[in-house]
Structure formats: structure tokens, C-alpha cells
Amino acid sequence: MAARDYILNHLAILEAEAIHIMREVAAQFEKPALLFSGGKDSIVMVRLAEKAFRPAKFPFPLVHVDTGHNFPETIAFRDRLVERLGERLIVASVEDAIAAGIARDDPGPTPSRNRAQIPTLLHAIETHKFDALFGGARRDEERARAKERIFSFRDEFGQWDPKNQRPELWNIYNGRIRPGEHIRVFPLSNWTELDVWQYIALEGIEIPSIYYSHEREVVMRDGQWMPTSSFMPAKEGVAAAKRIVRFRTVGDMTCTAAVESPATTVEDIVAEVAAARASERGARMDDRTSDAAMEDRKKEGYF
């Protein structure tokens, strides 16, 4: 089998599995939702939802947990996409959650709002009575992600216990829950970062401009190029510099590092990712606080 034919067949299998999972959720749950960050993985999930349910409307809204520290390019892309789709968007605002005493900003000189997303999301789940939420996590991202099932059980506090998950034999998914519990669902569990980019190339999917190489003002922090912003200005005595960079992952501006790259097309990115020796999560400063940073957040209710 030629390399291109193998890739097309491989992506077709992944696509079919993800569509099956989405339809299974629509069949089993009363109030599902799709967590949408504006990043490449959630954008791919939207395309899969189109293939699973069009020409009907999605049987769930999109939910964006907005930190208030997002890349402006991502928010603009989100709004254009939602307008084109004609689907419902629910924005769970971290700013509003902080004002209401539901969440709080991290202390310290370089605060991130990633942890503040946890109570904000859990409050949105309780408010809207969601019983299942699609997430874009993949098992190649980070060690804690690799412990997930496709249907990831969360208790009445929204917490994840890796030792209390259900077997998934023969692709049979158990969505039974009691009041207050819910399931996080990961249709991209068997995808890799390279699979996602190859699928984006194959489908011609539009993505935010920050994924492509561009000139940006950045500052070196802990060995990584961090974007300057009103949320994270350069420290006194530390000079900002303009570099040709792009972002491999999209998150809070205060914890998402850029990588120097000449990649200006999806094909360039595919080639770059194929040759990469480090996970994209290496560009997320919040994952570097400890070896178990992601797992600790997930146990509290993180995505």
C-alpha cells in the first residue's frame, strides 16, 4: 500500500470511530455538550460533529470556558466559526466566576487562569445540567491523558479517579450515571498530533492564524518564548523581542509558549510535527510545575 493510501485509510478509520462515539453519546445522554477552546483538536471535533449529524443541528451546544486571557485571534476565530455553523455557543467566563467568588486568580508574579477554569467549568455543568461533555484530549499529549478511557467517568464533584474507570471491551461504552455525575468523552483518544494535522490538511479545515508562522513580540521566560500581553507584560529589565514564531497548542496567553518556526502552511506544519521530538504540551508552562501537574488538575475536574 502506498504511503498516501495508508494515511487516507488510517484517517478514515479514526474518523469513523470518532463519529460512532459522537452518535453513541447523542443516543445515551440527555444533555451533552462539546467543549470548544478554539484550538485545533476542538475544531476537528466540530468537523466530525458536522459529519455525524448534518444536515440536522448538533444535538448539543458548544461550550467555551473563557479565561479572559485568550489570544484575540482565537476569540475572533471562535465567533466566525459559530456564526458559520449556526450553532449555540455557551461561554463560561472565568472573569465572571472570579467576580462571583466561584473561582480565584492564582497568586504570584506569573499567574495562570488554567486552574480557575476548573470551578468555572464545574459551575457551568451544574447550571446547565450537562451529563456528558466532549473533550479534545488525545493520549499522546501527556501521561495523565493516557490513563483516560474514551468514556471518562466523573463523580458528583466533577472529579476524576483514574482507578475508578470502566472497562471498554469491544468498543462498548457504558454511559450509566446517577444524578450529579457526568461523563467526559474523548473521541480523539486514538489520534496523535500528526493525525490531527493530516486530517486538517485532508479536509481543508480553517484554523486560527496563530498556528502559522508570524512575527510576534515575545519575551524569554523559563527557557521559552512567551507572548507579551496586557495580562503578562515583560518584567522590568527584561527586553521583549520580535521573533518569527507559531503556537503548537492554544491556551491561556499567560501559559502558552511559542516555538520558532518557518511553517506557513498546513503541509509545513505536518512535516514539522512529523520530525518533532517533544510533545506539544511542552509548550504549556502550567504543565511544567510538577511531573503530575495535569493529573492533579484532572482529579479536581479539569478537561
Side-chain angles (χ1 to χ4, degrees):
M1 182 183 295
R4 176 171 172 77
D5 291 338
Y6 172 82
I7 291 170
L8 293 175
N9 185 60
H10 174 66
L11 293 177
I13 292 170
L14 292 176
E15 179 189 75
E17 178 190 50
I19 289 172
H20 166 69
I21 291 166
M22 286 189 155
R23 289 173 175 166
E24 189 70 18
V25 168
Q28 288 197 42
F29 295 92
E30 294 183 6
K31 295 201 71 176
L34 189 152
L35 293 171
F36 183 81
S37 67
K40 64 185 183 306
D41 301 311
S42 59
I43 293 168
V44 165
M45 283 201 300
V46 167
R47 174 57 58 88
L48 293 167
E50 289 184 279
K51 292 196 173 190
F53 303 110
R54 288 293 192 242
K57 300 280 284 185
F58 294 173
F60 43 74
L62 308 185
V63 175
H64 181 210
V65 180
D66 184 352
T67 65
H69 290 175
N70 295 287
F71 289 89
E73 298 95 327
T74 305
I75 298 299
F77 177 89
R78 178 200 71 185
D79 293 342
R80 289 197 309 272
L81 179 64
V82 169
E83 183 177 6
R84 177 183 69 77
L85 291 170
E87 297 291 345
R88 182 183 175 204
L89 172 69
I90 296 173
V91 177
S93 168
V94 171
E95 292 272 10
D96 291 347
I98 291 172
I102 297 167
R104 63 182 180 86
D105 269 321
D106 280 351
T110 56
S112 164
R113 285 188 168 175
N114 255 16
R115 191 171 292 278
Q117 292 180 86
I118 298 171
T120 306
L121 172 60
L122 295 179
H123 179 70
I125 292 170
E126 182 180 5
T127 299
H128 297 280
K129 308 300 181 186
F130 294 132
D131 52 6
L133 293 101
F134 292 108
R138 307 182 322 270
R139 289 175 181 163
D140 70 323
E141 285 183 81
E142 199 272 343
R143 283 176 291 182
R145 302 288 202 201
K147 297 180 181 180
E148 287 280 17
R149 300 288 195 267
I150 290 175
F151 272 38
S152 178
F153 173 75
R154 303 299 172 105
D155 66 18
E156 63 271 25
F157 301 105
Q159 296 176 333
W160 173 69
D161 179 358
K163 296 179 181 178
N164 184 26
Q165 298 298 313
R166 298 163 178 176
E168 292 179 338
L169 306 175
W170 307 293
N171 294 333
I172 296 175
Y173 305 112
N174 181 357
R176 287 178 293 179
I177 54 173
R178 293 175 295 189
E181 300 170 343
H182 70 275
I183 299 289
R184 305 283 175 90
V185 183
F186 302 109
L188 306 185
S189 286
N190 291 322
W191 298 51
T192 65
E193 183 186 9
L194 182 59
D195 292 330
V196 167
W197 282 112
Q198 288 175 330
Y199 190 76
I200 289 170
L202 177 66
E203 292 287 314
I205 299 173
E206 183 185 1
I207 54 175
S209 59
I210 60 172
Y211 278 115
Y212 298 112
S213 177
H214 60 286
E215 186 178 66
R216 196 179 201 98
E217 186 175 85
V218 292
V219 64
M220 182 62 68
R221 178 158 63 91
D222 295 333
Q224 303 237 47
W225 288 117
M226 300 298 299
T228 59
S229 67
S230 58
F231 328 119
M232 189 69 65
K235 295 179 182 178
E236 185 176 349
V238 178
K242 287 192 173 182
R243 291 285 189 275
I244 302 299
V245 299
R246 73 175 192 89
F247 294 87
R248 287 181 68 185
T249 181
V250 171
D252 191 314
M253 287 186 75
T254 62
C255 64
T256 306
V259 295
E260 293 190 89
S261 167
T264 57
T265 67
V266 174
E267 290 72 24
D268 291 342
I269 294 174
V270 167
E272 188 174 275
V273 170
R277 304 292 294 177
S279 165
E280 65 193 292
R281 296 296 303 192
R284 295 293 289 270
M285 301 294 285
D286 51 318
D287 285 348
R288 303 174 72 189
T289 56
S290 76
D291 288 341
M294 172 64 81
E295 183 162 336
D296 291 342
R297 292 201 306 276
K298 283 173 66 63
K299 287 178 178 178
E300 295 174 12
Y302 192 69
F303 309 134

